Amino acid sequence: MPMVQVTLNGKTVTVNSAPDTPLLWVLRCELGLTGTKFGCGVGICGACTVLVGKEPKPACRELVKGINNARVTTIEGLDGPVADALRKAWIACDVVQCGYCQSAQLIAAAALLTRRRAPSDADINAAMKDIACRCGTFPRIRRAIHMAASALR
Ligand code: FES
Ligand code: FES
């Protein structure tokens, strides 16, 4: 098998899993990064969302053979001013309920605020629509994103 290398959370990592292994299993089982959650496993719930480059993607749908030399960011490596502003706003708005979807929500919110510093409600709805929250935290998520956006301006 050709060697697959990924820049994961800023560090170069060699992946040993088989080429058809979903990135989600690589993160959780091979590399022990369990902040990225397994929900449906078929690209529907969004719980496994990570950044591939600057794009939020469901890690259960990205295969090892397609990510050679990619830059991947998980919740464990999400840092910088945008991430800091989001974390503060998440706490201030008391967003989290069970927490299961929240790694993915923060990843998607960070991708949104990185490309758009003053998102409208419609921008937020569009950016977050692929990540389900069974606890119904979305109104607080939207409030927290607006708060983080204000703090960043
Ligand atoms: S676990 Fe990947 S989208 Fe549901
Ligand atoms: S906080 Fe429970 S699923 Fe979103």
Side-chain angles (χ1 to χ4, degrees), residues 24 37-49 58-61 130 134:
L24 180 57
K37 301 304 183 194
F38 169 52
C40 64
V42 292
I44 291 172
C45 74
C48 64
T49 300
C60 68
R61 302 297 283 174
D130 293 331
R134 290 161 186 81

Side-chain angles (χ1 to χ4, degrees), residues 22-88:
L23 172 60
L24 180 57
W25 303 147
V26 174
L27 295 172
R28 291 183 58 85
C29 302
E30 183 179 332
L31 303 173
L33 294 176
T34 55
T36 304
K37 301 304 183 194
F38 169 52
C40 64
V42 292
I44 291 172
C45 74
C48 64
T49 300
V50 298
L51 294 177
V52 179
K54 294 182 177 174
E55 288 298 313
K57 303 256 189 187
C60 68
R61 302 297 283 174
E62 299 291 317
L63 303 182
V64 164
K65 62 188 175 194
I67 56 163
N68 194 27
N69 297 320
R71 194 162 46 85
V72 175
T73 306
T74 68
I75 191 67
E76 291 89 348
L78 193 67
D79 62 7
V82 168
D84 290 347
L86 283 167
R87 287 192 173 100
K88 278 187 195 145

